Amino acid sequence: MSSINSPFDKPFEQPVDSPGGRMRPVPAERNYLNADYSVRSWLLTKDHKRIALLYLFSVSFFFFIGSIYAMLIRLELLTPKGDLVQAATYNKLFTHHGIIMIFLFLIPSIPAILGNFLVPLMIGAKDLAFPKINLLSWYLYMIGAVIVSSAIMIGGVDTGWYFYVPYSSNFSNTYVTLAGLGIFVLGFSSILTGLNFIVTTHTMRAPGMTWFRLPLFIWSHYATSLIMLLGTPVIAITLLLLVFERTFHVGIFDPTIGGDPVLFQHLFWFYSHPAVYIMLLPGMAIISEIIATFSRKNIFGYKFVAFSSIAIAVFGFLVWGHHLFSSSQSVFAGMIFSFISFAVAVPSAIKVFNWTATLFRGSISYDTPMLYALGYIGLFAIGGLTGLFLASLGMDVHLTDTYFVVAHFHYVMVGGTLLAYLGGIHYWWPKITGRLYPEGWGRFSALIVFVGFNLTFFPQFLLGFLGMPRRYHAYPPEYQVLNVLSSAGASILAIGFTIPLIYLLWSLRYGPKATDDPWMATGLEWRTSSPPPTENFVETPIVTWEAYEFAPQETMKVVGKLTPDDKPDRSSYSGN
Amino acid sequence: MSEHIVSKNLYFLIFGALMVLTAITVGVAFVNLGPLNNVVALTIAVIKALLVILYFMHVRYSSRLTWLVIVGGFFWLAIMFVLTSSDYLTRGWVSFTR
């Protein structure tokens, strides 16, 4: 593939072999990490890569807090009696778990960390279109996070993360107003990120980077940004209306003063169902990249996968009524929403089938990111298909508000998004930090996560089908065995999340230095140094190749270390 | 992005139109038109919004992409209204009790 010769093929000095077969230390070149060490240079940075790291720290912190709530929930459910916490406390536990995991972790996780880092790199830009707005979005995130955290610390919220009226407006005496305002602010952070990605994708692509040469990561993030931009204002205004009703007793949702409680559910889910796709599409973005790289093939049906992202974003806005099947929504509307919900399965299935077809006759290697990606495909398929149970009008009446729903969305959110996120963090870790993580530990923890995840959530499908309702701190004794399995799985899952935390931190200091393209991947982000310089590329790349155009391994340039029998290992090649 | 310069007179004209329409809205509020009350009020409101968007926000002279963004925004608003109404307007259609 000689067409892939690009002017920036080898912009930096690579590590070279010394006679002993060991790598000589190469003088540190300037990159975005060592450009400036002052605190100010981090807190006032306009570099998208540094802002991504700011997000990485803060979002990981809240993931940790949200996980503690999850562990407390699972600990309480270990025994049928409500013996660890009181019912009212339990209500706060699952509310805090939901609010933190959704608004502070899942929604910003992939777009604001990996998206922020990679969108400019992948399209060959120096930065996002609005670097200052990007920094502003992080500050808004932090302000929102502080408001939500303070609501939690001074007493907490007990309405569930969905704040359903009339409980949240007329009855709950917890800190609903404060939490609502916090989420209102967080929404703006999300809107600004979305806006930035859309403008960047439209205006900042490198010469030659046409829309259909974009990595699928960009297509998915573009679709995600559309949802952020079109949906988030609605949740913002809905929560503001709730705050208004609570504070000033304006009749919006309370029927006794002229409001309508179901209207809240309509408005809430108009955003919150598409928000599921804000969490899901970036995960799909990562999976497309990983599957292509580790099977060394172009994604099967590139355009179908690209447009299925857009289709998911659009269809996602037409299905919110399936959350209202048992909320006195009209039967006719229920039928419409049920039908459209089934339609969303089509673009999702296109992705799953096309990833699978990509694997076919691919040159597959089972590195850590690939293990997460393969896990994702299986778990997302289960999560997606059980969604169809819930989209069926009759079936849903039996399953509404049971653990079946909990299991379903955790298969999508944890088995889907979180696995993709972990896969993505591993995949781009060499690019972000310039260090390689220990592959053996990576694979090991990926397996632990997979096992722990299934043990946690599969029993919940059974529990829900048997009729165990969500959001109760006590349950009949016959459900105990499955609940114990689930709690045991949660502790395995916790171990699976802790191991990467340890070895990724370890690798920052002790990990071997990464080459520019340790996976022999094709994206533009691999054609600059690891970690990249502040301005991303020494010279503006000119793109003359299609996405995922893999060169045969034999034609690749060997730049890294050799194995004892003088053969290059995978990490010794330089991309294309 | 066109560098169209809008004349001051046009701005005053639009401002005048907005004021007149506001006066009509207030005036109509004193006349009971029955079911047409809302229709008239909303029609006037939509006309005013259009005037603001097209002239004060310069959309009339903007690129196609700007148009697309604005039309998209309103289309999404329409999705919200139409599908929400698909619930409220059809509650009596099918009943569980016979």
Side-chain angles (χ1 to χ4, degrees), chain A residues 260 263 266 317 320 330 332, chain B residues 76 83-84 86-88 90-91:
Chain A
D260 183 302
L263 180 65
H266 276 296
F317 275 100
W320 79 82
S330 88
F332 177 75
Chain B
W76 251 253
L83 282 178
T84 305
S86 84
D87 169 19
Y88 284 100
T90 62
R91 292 228 172 138

Side-chain angles (χ1 to χ4, degrees), chain A residues 54-259:
Chain A
L54 292 176
Y55 265 115
L56 177 66
F57 293 127
S58 33
V59 168
S60 304
F61 173 76
F62 284 105
F63 174 68
F64 179 66
I65 303 287
S67 308
I68 291 176
Y69 281 109
M71 290 314 289
L72 288 172
I73 291 170
R74 284 320 316 169
L75 208 55
E76 165 59 65
L77 294 177
L78 201 56
T79 54
K81 279 187 195 160
D83 39 16
L84 181 67
V85 293
Q86 293 173 332
T89 313
Y90 186 79
N91 288 347
K92 290 181 181 171
L93 290 186
F94 70 71
T95 304
H96 298 168
H97 171 68
I99 291 178
I100 291 175
M101 284 304 200
I102 289 170
F103 294 111
L104 293 172
F105 174 67
L106 282 168
I107 287 183
S109 63
I110 300 176
I113 300 171
L114 293 171
N116 235 333
F117 195 94
L118 292 164
V119 166
L121 279 169
M122 282 185 166
I123 65 174
K126 284 182 169 31
D127 205 317
L128 286 171
F130 307 118
K132 285 182 186 164
I133 287 184
N134 196 17
L135 182 65
L136 176 65
S137 89
W138 182 71
Y139 276 101
L140 286 175
Y141 172 84
M142 291 312 284
I143 293 170
V146 166
I147 298 175
V148 170
S149 310
S150 55
I152 287 173
M153 280 189 283
I154 60 177
V157 193
D158 67 348
T159 58
W161 76 276
Y162 36 83
F163 299 103
Y164 269 13
V165 293
Y167 182 69
S168 62
S169 56
N170 290 359
F171 299 100
S172 173
N173 52 9
T174 54
Y175 293 89
V176 177
T177 306
L178 203 54
L181 287 174
I183 295 170
F184 180 80
V185 175
L186 286 171
F188 281 93
S189 159
S190 172
I191 291 172
L192 295 182
T193 303
L195 179 74
N196 229 334
F197 286 177
I198 289 181
V199 178
T200 307
T201 314
H202 273 278
T203 60
M204 309 271 287
R205 282 171 288 123
M209 182 58 99
T210 58
W211 280 87
F212 291 114
R213 281 177 177 170
L214 289 172
L216 289 165
F217 186 93
I218 303 293
W219 277 96
S220 275
H221 271 78
Y222 187 82
T224 309
S225 307
L226 286 178
I227 307 176
M228 286 173 157
L229 217 52
L230 291 165
T232 317
V234 179
I235 185 80
I237 214 68
T238 308
L239 291 175
L240 211 57
L241 288 174
L242 173 65
V243 168
F244 257 68
E245 180 164 296
R246 259 181 88 90
T247 318
F248 305 113
H249 304 285
V250 187
I252 299 157
F253 304 123
D254 182 357
T256 58
I257 42 176

Side-chain angles (χ1 to χ4, degrees), chain A residues 265 321-329 396-397 400-401:
Chain A
Q265 298 189 19
H322 65 218
H323 296 271
L324 282 73
F325 285 164
S326 57
S327 306
S328 83
Q329 181 181 243
D396 184 65
V397 175
T400 288
D401 280 347

